[in-house]
Amino acid sequence: MWRTFCVALCCLSMVHGVPGLSATALTEFLQEASQEEDWMVQIRRELHQWPELMYQEHNTSLFLRKTLDDLNIPYKFPAAKTGIVATIGKGNPVVALRTDIDALPIHEESDVPFRSRVDGKSHACGHDSHMTMLLGGAKLLKKRESELKGTVKLIFQPAEEGGAGGEKMVKEGWLKGVKAIFGFHVWPAAPTGQVLTKAGTIMGAAAQFNVTVRGRGGHAAMPHTTIDPVVAGAAVVTALQTVVARETDPLHSQVVSLTRFNTGGNAYNVIPDVVKLGATYRSLTHQGMVNMKSRLGEIIASTAKAHGCSAEIDWMEEAHPYYPPTINNPDLAAFVKGVGARVLGDDGRIQEAVPTLAGEDFSFYSHAAHVPSCFTFLGIRNEKLGTVHGLHTPKFKVDESVLRTGAAMHAALATEFLATYPSGLSESSKDEL
């Protein structure tokens, strides 16, 4: 606790003096972002109407590149198939800002006049606003390019929604030389205007799997002549809950959710040969995931066998790669809070985030690339505007006032990091990843 307090105090003091910026200079970012609000709203609404799924973001990428051209910001394309990496400034150190660019296979049901024009697809996770905030931040940074004490990398990353685009970015080498990386996510659980982050794990590890339970079907009036995979499958669903309920420390957060149970045909008087299950499992630690995967496999096989059936497990490692937990570097988390308080001019708007078991492939930047990172939530809940619906739901909406906050935070964090950490974070801080 004492170390965290000292780090926070240190980061706050850096904002006031050399080599960082003054509190007055930091508040200018929000003022300038407010002046660009109409421009950002227009961009966000254009992106919102034309959502594209992971690794299919061709028109989205084209729009982003056109906007970067208009801002006279150089970039490299392609990165991770459909992504872009742009740069502002020159020399070392290098700090990165990242946004995701893909949409979801969800049909939009919101009441906004700029609804998705693509049936069955929408930006129901707010990635359109994330892209806009990074473009807004880039516009602010470009104006100050000659004053930057290093290089800012702008990472427009595809395939966050299950395709592990972050991992592909790392494998292609786009994070080489980066001393720190920051990312944001709009958050409908928190009131508009709040900025929430924390040291350590902020989002959980996540993975999916499918199970095929095989028995021997027959007429439902004569179950004694069958080996019923429906009963075996139901037993598997129940048995898997013991992994959390009876094998996990109650103070540790883990979950196993069975979300699919398919018996095949439509006839009511037929016991099928096969039942198919689908599930997700999550934990706040990597080791928790390793332990759960082992036990899930054992329980599925033994439960199916106890009912005379066999079971096959597909861990979906190619189709839906494992996402490690998103872990914030403690020094960077304190840094974000300190900078945020001065950008917004209100300490009360900076809040401690509550960890969630939702997954996020921003995690690969620290887990695979070993770059100190910090992920932050931006509140968008506004009862009057109706921005109260959860992420990944058809009626999800965004309070667009968050755009100026996000743009200002992007620009301020990058500028202040370059000025404050000319050699990057200390090795002891990196070891805490």
Side-chain angles (χ1 to χ4, degrees), residues 32-328:
E32 292 184 27
S34 297
Q35 295 169 7
E36 301 292 346
E37 191 164 20
D38 289 344
W39 177 78
M40 288 190 286
V41 167
Q42 182 179 1
I43 284 177
R44 186 252 162 175
R45 293 184 178 185
E46 180 66 22
L47 289 167
H48 186 85
Q49 293 178 77
W50 303 105
E52 296 176 299
L53 304 184
M54 61 179 182
Y55 295 126
Q56 299 173 17
E57 312 96 330
H58 304 292
N59 290 323
T60 300
S61 182
L62 183 62
F63 179 88
L64 294 170
R65 298 197 306 274
K66 174 64 168 59
T67 305
L68 290 169
D69 286 336
D70 291 343
L71 296 174
N72 197 29
I73 296 174
Y75 57 82
K76 292 184 178 180
F77 170 84
K81 294 187 178 181
T82 50
I84 306 161
V85 178
T87 55
I88 301 173
K90 61 182 179 180
N92 292 316
V94 179
V95 65
L97 305 172
R98 171 269 198 182
T99 180
D100 33 24
I101 69 173
D102 56 327
L104 285 161
I106 296 175
H107 187 78
E108 184 171 5
E109 298 177 5
S110 72
D111 57 0
V112 297
F114 50 90
R115 283 190 302 274
S116 169
R117 297 189 186 185
V118 185
D119 286 343
K121 300 176 186 178
S122 67
H123 274 295
C125 200
H127 296 187
D128 53 335
S129 56
H130 300 167
M131 288 183 274
T132 303
M133 290 186 290
L134 184 53
L135 288 172
K139 191 171 187 178
L140 302 183
L141 288 167
K142 187 65 179 178
K143 293 178 181 178
R144 294 172 166 80
E145 186 168 26
S146 62
E147 304 169 17
L148 294 175
K149 306 299 183 182
T151 302
V152 182
K153 270 193 177 183
L154 312 174
I155 297 178
F156 296 86
Q157 178 222 297
E160 187 277 328
E161 299 290 355
E167 183 179 37
K168 189 172 289 292
M169 281 283 186
V170 172
K171 287 182 177 179
E172 291 183 5
W174 297 106
L175 274 293
K176 288 181 180 178
V178 172
K179 297 299 183 181
I181 183 169
F182 299 95
F184 291 88
H185 205 298
V186 291
W187 208 243
T192 292
Q194 284 192 359
V195 175
L196 309 95
T197 194
K198 70 178 296 294
T201 303
I202 189 170
M203 300 186 77
Q208 289 74 238
F209 63 91
N210 285 322
V211 179
T212 301
V213 180
R214 298 187 184 278
R216 185 176 68 240
H219 199 293
M222 295 173 280
H224 60 288
T225 65
T226 73
I227 300 176
D228 192 343
V230 177
V231 174
V236 167
V237 173
T238 302
L240 290 183
Q241 302 310 308
T242 64
V243 174
V244 174
R246 287 297 175 266
E247 298 185 20
T248 300
D249 186 331
L251 298 180
H252 294 173
S253 295
Q254 294 186 166
V255 68
V256 179
S257 291
L258 276 293
T259 56
R260 298 184 180 185
F261 196 110
N262 187 355
T263 61
N266 297 318
Y268 288 94
N269 61 350
V270 174
I271 293 173
D273 290 319
V274 173
V275 165
K276 294 186 177 182
L277 313 177
T280 181
Y281 64 108
R282 297 160 185 256
S283 174
L284 288 181
T285 68
H286 174 68
Q287 189 58 47
M289 293 294 283
V290 172
N291 295 342
M292 272 203 295
K293 183 177 181 180
S294 175
R295 288 296 292 136
L296 292 172
E298 293 171 354
I299 291 171
I300 291 168
S302 61
T303 303
K305 184 177 181 180
H307 288 77
C309 296
S310 63
E312 303 162 7
I313 307 173
D314 176 8
W315 295 107
M316 304 174 67
E317 292 168 347
E318 292 294 327
H320 293 282
Y322 162 70
Y323 281 17
T326 302
I327 303 175
N328 285 344

Side-chain angles (χ1 to χ4, degrees), residues 406-423:
M409 287 293 295
H410 274 109
L413 286 171
T415 304
E416 184 69 4
F417 182 88
L418 295 178
T420 304
Y421 296 106
S423 300

